[in-house]
Amino acid sequence: MTSALTARGLTKRYGRRTALAECTLEIPAGRVVALVGPNGAGKSTLLNLAAGLIRPTSGEIEVLGDTPACSPDQLARVGFVAQDAPTYAGLTVADHLELGRRLNPRWDHRLAERRIDDLALDPRQKAGRLSGGQRAQLALTLALAKRPELLLLDEPAASLDPLARRELLQGLMTHVVDHGASVVLSSHLVSDLERVCDHVVVLTGSHVQLAADLDEVTGTHYRLTGDARDLDELPPGAELVHSTGTDRHRTVVVRSALPVVGDRTQVEPLGMEDVVLAYMARAASPAPRPDSPAEAVR
Amino acid sequence: MIRFHLDAASGVAPYLQIVQQVRHALRLGLLREGDQLPTVREVVSTVTINPNTVHKAYRELEYAGLVTPRPGLGTFVTGSLAGDVPAASYVRLRAGLVRWIEDAQQAGLDDESVEALVHGTLREHLRVTS
Amino acid sequence: MTWLSWRLFRAQGYVTLVVLACLALLAVATGPHLAQTYADSGIAGCTGGRCSDLSRSFLADAKTGLTGATYTIGALAMVGFPILAGVFWGAPLVARELETGTYRVAWTQSVPRTRWLLPRLGLALGAAAVAAGLASLALTWWANPLDAAQGGRLQPGVYLARGIVPVGYALLAVAVGALLGAVVRRTVPAMATTFAVVGGLMLTFSLWLRPHLVPPVHANVPLDLADLQTFSETNGGHMEVVANFAQKGALVLTNRTLTPQGALFVGPADPTQCDRRLPGQQCMDWVDSLGLRQDVTYQPASRFWDLQLVETGILVALAAVAVGLCVWWVRHRIT
């Protein structure tokens, strides 16, 4: 299977500020990828690099086997919706569709019109007068009707209420069923992504902390709770992700390829949201315990 | 046609929830041999879910011998979990249960008491007879 | 891209058409009458001293009422148009997209940046050139009688509103505006910078460069005291005597009074002839007797088209450079 996105040592600096540091990643095609992390972690930077809007300071990135934005052909295969779904305030909804039609050779105008219809958007309405949610849906329509092989969505549902979020993700999933496409969607809200994504990339502090299929993530992370002394030594083959608690009672999140069984400690498998939170917590307080090394997990 | 629902807070993986809901329906006789499962597209348009998750759930059911995909037509139930118990028995027993519940409610039990009585009796009885 | 370029430019295009139409109406309403008045005044065929009187009265008469208003409006519009085009068509072209974030839509369709930029820039440049050209054509035709009576079109206020130079400035202003917009990335600062740069260029050309674009004519004639510009004497006997250069419509670069030997004349005044407090006729006669010469470099009125062509050529070349820089910047420096 080809790779949707490959990054090798990808770094982006703005003056003294590092937005993305030595990012190495391979996202397989045909997946719906959740790119998660706190604000300022580098998610937007990664997506903008993948869309060809910015260029790396060092390292390389390849999208669908090619340098981003290297040719009209490559541009046609990638759909991008930027954060806050920018639109031309003075152009109507219909104008935006016309823009899509004129600038994209693979444009599916029927798909676009049908979506606008289903969303009950007035084609004659100027984009500047639409609500935030409607603008997000319009921007997504532009990206979908282009029939790209890869969709890059930067916080597409950030400013939407829960119902509108659900509708947007629903429309996205329906599109994936009907037309097939790899999707990378970034979010700092994790809760409703588990049902929608099948690959997870966790980005914190400009670094990649975790990149794996969802099944692997949920199948290899465990939460151990118990006496601090019992948890001094981790089960064989387990790596520490994050540890909290007091000197007497600790809660530890570990990653282990082998099944973990607790004798005197309580062991629970974790859902995606809890795993992501553990990595985000680790990044927020990076000081490791003296005798358990904390490693970046790939 | 069975309708799936996802419980995001349950801690159970989405694909497993689908598998469980199909198995549950099979047990209860709500799904029978020859019935068609909803297409992936139908599931995706009613439940916000990754299509691969649905594929995965249907594959797992296929490995368990419960369903079979027929290319171009859909996925159909080919096994059963109801055992040798005929469907009519399920219908009769279910009706009896409904009558008993109405009886209990008329006797003055609230919902919680009904549930407690059922669970308690079930546990005791299964312990004794197993 | 053609559709999108026009769609985004549409409003400005219509506004310009309306303005051009209004100016055309003014020109048509007053032009023929002006031409007729000029023909009747007899300035065209006159010779000798009466000419300047006829011209003066014709000009004074023409600059009143609707005709006068048309002249002022036309001059302001023509000189101001390149600046407005640069500020409103050039500066926001790239800057607005960068500022509002719509460049993230524009550059992720299936069109690379250069193919997005060139048609938009081309439309703005073309529209500016056509608008400036048509307006200048109309104004040059309309003002012909006034220019003839004035004797020349080299003064900056007139020169910038005639011929092909307005087209050159319009092209340069739009190109510079687009480049500044791409560099500055915010619309209002880009507009302000464009205003300053284009205005500065027009001033620079008018004040310092234009007189030298074509080698000026050099004349050395006997000093005629009948038409003096300056005649003064200071405490130490230092004198300054400068005569007007009477050629009609000429643009004077230097005007110096030299001694017969070729040196700059600075006196000293002969105290017996020139009383410092009251240089009288006696002093003038004495100066007259010195055989002083007037040394002038100037551009005659007939040089109008030569200067226009050279200046427009330079402006168009500069515009091409600005366009090239803009494309390069958008392609390589917006990352």
Side-chain angles (χ1 to χ4, degrees):
Chain A
M1 191 179 329
T2 50
S3 155
L5 189 155
T6 308
R8 281 184 284 272
L10 186 62
T11 306
K12 181 66 184 173
R13 270 189 287 274
Y14 293 99
R16 265 177 305 179
R17 185 175 80 84
T18 303
L20 206 58
E22 295 291 322
C23 168
T24 297
L25 200 52
E26 177 147 353
I27 297 179
R31 299 276 200 278
V32 176
V33 180
L35 177 61
V36 295
N39 289 320
K43 310 190 293 292
S44 272
T45 307
L46 180 58
L47 290 174
N48 276 271
L49 280 163
L53 289 168
I54 52 181
R55 293 205 189 100
T57 310
S58 65
E60 338 175 304
I61 178 167
E62 260 176 23
V63 169
L64 299 175
D66 255 329
T67 313
C70 65
S71 69
D73 208 53
Q74 208 274 351
L75 281 167
R77 296 161 69 202
V78 178
F80 178 67
V81 179
Q83 203 165 9
D84 299 329
T87 49
Y88 289 92
L91 264 50
T92 64
V93 169
D95 284 334
H96 279 84
L97 297 196
E98 190 63 26
L99 186 159
R101 180 155 82 167
R102 301 274 181 156
L103 299 187
N104 294 294
R106 305 201 318 196
W107 181 258
D108 186 342
H109 203 69
R110 281 248 308 274
L111 190 164
E113 283 179 325
R114 213 169 340 123
R115 240 186 89 88
I116 296 296
D117 213 34
D118 289 342
L119 294 165
L121 289 178
D122 180 4
R124 288 158 309 174
Q125 180 79 291
K126 294 216 172 176
R129 300 261 183 85
L130 297 174
S131 70
Q134 289 174 317
R135 268 205 307 277
Q137 292 282 24
L138 173 61
L140 185 58
T141 305
L142 277 186
L144 294 179
K146 200 178 152 184
R147 300 281 281 254
E149 289 169 39
L150 171 64
L151 271 165
L152 302 169
L153 309 176
D154 195 351
E155 306 260 3
S159 57
L160 303 185
D161 63 72
L163 182 61
R165 258 180 92 86
R166 187 52 64 87
E167 282 173 352
L168 189 125
L169 291 175
Q170 179 102 306
L172 188 57
M173 288 300 102
T174 311
H175 182 89
V176 170
V177 172
D178 288 340
H179 304 287
S182 309
V183 179
V184 178
L185 85 104
S186 80
S187 180
H188 61 276
L189 302 170
V190 185
S191 46
D192 51 8
L193 289 184
E194 180 160 10
R195 54 202 292 162
V196 152
C197 76
D198 46 14
H199 192 93
V200 182
V201 175
V202 178
L203 210 53
T204 62
S206 317
H207 286 85
V208 173
Q209 302 289 341
L210 172 67
D213 275 350
L214 182 60
D215 289 340
E216 198 187 319
V217 168
T218 51
T220 58
H221 287 82
Y222 305 88
R223 180 190 288 135
L224 281 62
T225 320
D227 217 286
R229 285 166 303 173
D230 293 329
L231 287 169
D232 256 348
E233 222 182 275
L234 297 172
E239 299 164 66
L240 175 71
V241 174
H242 186 65
S243 165
T244 49
T246 62
D247 286 333
R248 291 199 0 246
H249 189 89
R250 296 203 75 83
T251 299
V252 161
V253 174
V254 298
R255 177 178 184 166
S256 167
L258 305 165
V260 168
V261 168
D263 40 12
R264 278 185 311 207
T265 58
Q266 182 192 348
V267 178
E268 317 164 56
L270 292 176
M272 175 182 136
E273 185 170 8
D274 289 322
V275 172
V276 171
L277 286 174
Y279 280 95
M280 283 168 62
R282 174 173 86 167
S285 56
R289 291 184 66 219
D291 31 75
S292 354
E295 291 168 17
V297 187
R298 294 264 179 260
Chain B
M1 178 82 77
I2 183 175
R3 277 193 76 120
F4 298 117
H5 62 273
L6 278 191
D7 184 356
S10 70
V12 178
Y15 92 95
L16 265 178
Q17 291 186 38
I18 306 268
V19 169
Q20 280 174 4
Q21 284 170 40
V22 171
R23 293 178 74 99
H24 201 68
L26 283 171
R27 265 191 217 290
L28 290 180
L30 297 172
L31 269 181
R32 284 188 291 259
E33 267 192 63
D35 282 347
Q36 182 184 13
L37 291 180
T39 63
V40 174
R41 200 197 192 277
E42 279 162 351
V43 178
V44 166
S45 53
T46 49
V47 178
T48 310
I49 189 174
N50 188 315
N52 288 339
T53 308
V54 184
H55 283 304
K56 191 162 173 203
Y58 283 15
R59 264 203 305 278
E60 178 124 336
L61 290 165
E62 191 192 338
Y63 291 155
L66 295 172
V67 306
T68 304
R70 284 202 245 281
L73 295 169
T75 308
F76 292 83
V77 177
T78 48
S80 90
L81 288 173
D84 291 322
V85 180
S89 303
Y90 272 100
V91 173
R92 180 177 53 82
L93 288 166
R94 194 194 171 88
L97 200 53
V98 169
R99 274 197 303 273
W100 179 90
I101 292 170
E102 283 169 349
D103 195 8
Q105 282 172 335
Q106 267 178 4
L109 273 75
D110 64 8
D111 291 349
E112 212 178 320
S113 308
V114 171
E115 249 190 276
L117 184 52
V118 170
H119 278 301
T121 313
L122 195 61
R123 249 199 311 274
E124 248 184 65
H125 188 78
L126 287 176
R127 207 153 36 98
V128 163
T129 56
S130 66
Chain C
M1 230 14 251
T2 322
W3 176 86
L4 183 64
S5 306
W6 168 245
R7 182 62 189 81
L8 292 172
F9 184 78
R10 215 170 58 176
Q12 294 140 312
Y14 289 152
V15 165
T16 311
L17 276 176
V18 167
V19 170
L20 279 178
C22 290
L23 291 175
L25 272 174
L26 276 177
V28 164
T30 55
H33 174 75
L34 183 62
Q36 189 62 47
T37 314
Y38 179 76
D40 293 340
S41 70
I43 300 174
C46 82
T47 50
R50 252 178 65 75
C51 278
S52 54
D53 291 330
L54 279 176
S55 304
R56 245 195 306 276
S57 74
F58 168 73
L59 286 169
D61 197 36
K63 292 197 180 170
T64 58
L66 190 60
T67 310
T70 307
Y71 182 79
T72 315
I73 294 172
L76 283 173
M78 207 63 250
V79 175
F81 175 73
I83 301 186
L84 290 177
V87 166
F88 290 103
W89 296 359
L93 196 91
V94 180
R96 193 111 200 280
E97 301 256 357
L98 292 174
E99 194 172 19
T100 57
T102 50
Y103 77 101
R104 291 200 171 100
V105 176
W107 298 354
T108 54
Q109 305 305 309
S110 310
V111 173
R113 297 184 192 188
T114 314
R115 253 183 56 197
W116 168 86
L117 179 62
L118 286 176
R120 292 203 59 194
L121 203 45
L123 179 60
L125 288 168
V130 167
L134 287 176
S136 177
L137 189 69
L139 189 55
T140 307
W141 162 80
W142 182 90
N144 203 23
L146 293 171
D147 293 339
Q150 194 80 49
R153 300 185 281 191
L154 295 182
Q155 306 314 313
V158 177
Y159 180 91
L160 287 172
R162 305 280 188 277
I164 53 173
V165 148
V167 175
Y169 278 110
L171 286 172
L172 180 59
V174 171
V176 163
L179 172 61
L180 289 173
V183 171
V184 172
R185 300 196 192 203
R186 302 241 311 285
T187 313
V188 172
M191 287 164 84
T193 319
T194 306
F195 182 90
V197 168
V198 176
L201 276 169
M202 288 171 96
L203 272 175
T204 306
F205 266 88
S206 296
L207 293 178
W208 295 296
L209 298 181
R210 188 170 304 137
H212 301 280
L213 290 179
V214 174
V217 173
H218 179 222
N220 185 300
V221 296
L223 186 72
D224 180 5
L225 288 164
D227 186 11
L228 280 174
Q229 192 183 87
T230 322
F231 192 101
S232 70
E233 185 190 339
T234 63
N235 237 341
H238 179 102
M239 289 198 80
E240 192 176 334
V241 180
V242 178
N244 272 326
F245 183 65
Q247 192 177 104
K248 207 167 179 206
L251 197 64
V252 178
L253 278 72
T254 65
N255 183 357
R256 304 178 305 161
T257 304
L258 305 179
T259 63
Q261 292 76 34
L264 186 65
F265 175 72
V266 291
D270 183 345
T272 61
Q273 305 291 339
C274 295
D275 183 338
R276 188 167 49 78
R277 279 159 301 154
L278 217 62
Q281 189 57 42
Q282 196 183 7
C283 191
M284 282 235 227
D285 291 338
W286 171 75
V287 169
D288 207 9
S289 69
L290 294 176
L292 297 176
R293 302 192 69 79
Q294 182 181 34
D295 188 282
V296 191
T297 55
Y298 66 103
Q299 297 285 3
S302 57
R303 284 281 175 87
F304 174 77
W305 279 112
D306 294 330
L307 290 170
Q308 284 257 332
L309 280 167
V310 172
E311 188 163 346
T312 306
I314 297 175
L315 294 173
V316 170
L318 287 176
V321 168
V323 167
L325 280 175
C326 184
V327 171
W328 175 81
W329 189 274
V330 165
R331 248 181 104 169
H332 295 285
R333 298 292 295 231
I334 301 189
T335 58

